[in-house]
Amino acid sequence: GAGVSQSPSNKVTEKGKDVELRCDPISGHTALYWYRQSLGQGLEFLIYFQGNSAPDKSGLPSDRFSAERTGGSVSTLTIQRTQQEDSAVYLCASGLGQGPPWETQYFGPGTRLLVL
Amino acid sequence: AQKITQTQPGMFVQEKEAVTLDCTYDTSDQSYGLFWYKQPSSGEMIFLIYQGSYDEQNATEGRYSLNFQKARKSANLVISASQLGDSAMYFCAMREGLLGNEKLTFGTGTRLTIIP
């Protein structure tokens, strides 16, 4: 079956611009996660959705970052007024939503963001 | 303190040999899950294997097995009969069973290179 998909696969933007990153989870998965992978920080958790609500936003690095999920499916991560330190690979994952610790998260291919 | 420690930044292994990738973890929770992911150069995070803290048997999935030593807090990945396609970054991750804690915490990874 189809896995997690993300778009765009690559995004180059200028400092100060806003960007939107999209994630389509595996069909039927109620849990959705965003992570960021950068050279300096490794893999960091950003935000978690269960259905359309986000019980854990603790990883969002600043108020320039926001995310939403509609219809319990597609999610959009928005970065406003991008900075060069936002350059990273943004990974989305989804899961069945059965709760920790046995929940396996399945990742998409990521969006590579470069802020010039 | 690091929650997940992978002490081998890089490893070179001859094709067809077995390889062990080290992972130690730190948690005070009794309920947790340990995961291994593979990240090829294409960037996608591929789920390999899972071990729950209450599982008495070591997890196995094909050529992958997880050597779980709870008292030592280690969860090493063993790949038997390595293949050229195993060359990739490997990440160990943990999910702690705290109520409401949904995030994976990752180690810094080990880059495995299989030599023909």
Side-chain angles (χ1 to χ4, degrees):
Chain A
V4 178
S5 61
Q6 293 185 245
S7 61
S9 53
N10 291 282
K11 177 72 176 179
V12 180
T13 190
E14 294 178 348
K15 178 181 172 181
K17 301 275 191 184
D18 297 352
V19 295
E20 284 189 352
L21 312 180
R22 177 187 167 108
C23 172
D24 278 275
I26 294 171
S27 177
H29 280 190
T30 61
L32 187 146
Y33 313 82
W34 284 97
Y35 292 85
R36 179 169 73 171
Q37 186 175 25
S38 57
L39 281 176
Q41 302 297 324
L43 273 151
E44 307 170 276
F45 167 81
L46 296 177
I47 188 170
Y48 154 68
F49 286 92
Q50 180 61 255
N52 290 337
S53 63
D56 189 355
K57 306 179 184 179
S58 62
L60 294 178
S62 75
D63 58 9
R64 295 187 296 105
F65 287 73
S66 63
E68 65 175 14
R69 189 179 185 194
T70 55
S73 181
V74 171
S75 176
T76 303
L77 177 69
T78 301
I79 309 173
Q80 295 179 309
R81 305 180 303 281
T82 52
Q83 303 294 313
Q84 288 180 331
E85 61 262 29
D86 299 335
S87 296
V89 177
Y90 290 82
L91 292 162
C92 176
S94 71
L96 285 169
Q98 294 171 336
W102 41 87
E103 170 87 331
T104 295
Q105 298 178 21
Y106 297 93
F107 283 79
T111 293
R112 287 158 186 76
L113 175 66
L114 178 62
V115 182
L116 300 177
Chain B
Q2 294 290 326
K3 283 190 175 282
I4 296 287
T5 302
Q6 295 181 253
T7 57
Q8 305 152 311
M11 288 187 70
F12 291 83
V13 173
Q14 204 76 38
E15 188 180 8
K16 299 181 185 175
E17 288 186 351
V19 56
T20 298
L21 305 181
D22 295 341
C23 173
T24 56
Y25 59 92
D26 181 27
T27 181
S28 56
D29 201 359
Q30 296 300 310
S31 178
Y32 52 89
L34 297 157
F35 302 81
W36 278 92
Y37 286 86
K38 171 184 179 181
Q39 189 177 42
S41 55
S42 60
E44 187 164 356
M45 296 284 283
I46 301 167
F47 165 71
L48 295 178
I49 196 166
Y50 160 81
Q51 180 84 41
S53 58
Y54 294 119
D55 295 340
E56 295 184 353
Q57 305 254 353
N58 285 343
T60 61
E61 288 286 348
R63 294 187 300 113
Y64 304 107
S65 61
L66 200 153
N67 184 359
F68 181 46
Q69 298 191 38
K70 195 169 181 177
R72 293 186 174 186
K73 292 190 175 179
S74 76
N76 298 340
L77 177 71
V78 180
I79 306 174
S80 64
S82 57
Q83 303 171 354
L84 295 178
D86 294 334
S87 293
M89 282 289 288
Y90 288 80
F91 291 94
C92 180
M94 177 173 64
R95 182 169 176 178
E96 294 167 281
L98 300 169
L99 186 64
N101 180 37
E102 307 292 334
K103 66 182 179 185
L104 286 173
T105 302
F106 287 86
T108 51
T110 296
R111 182 172 297 281
L112 176 64
T113 303
I114 306 299
I115 306 166

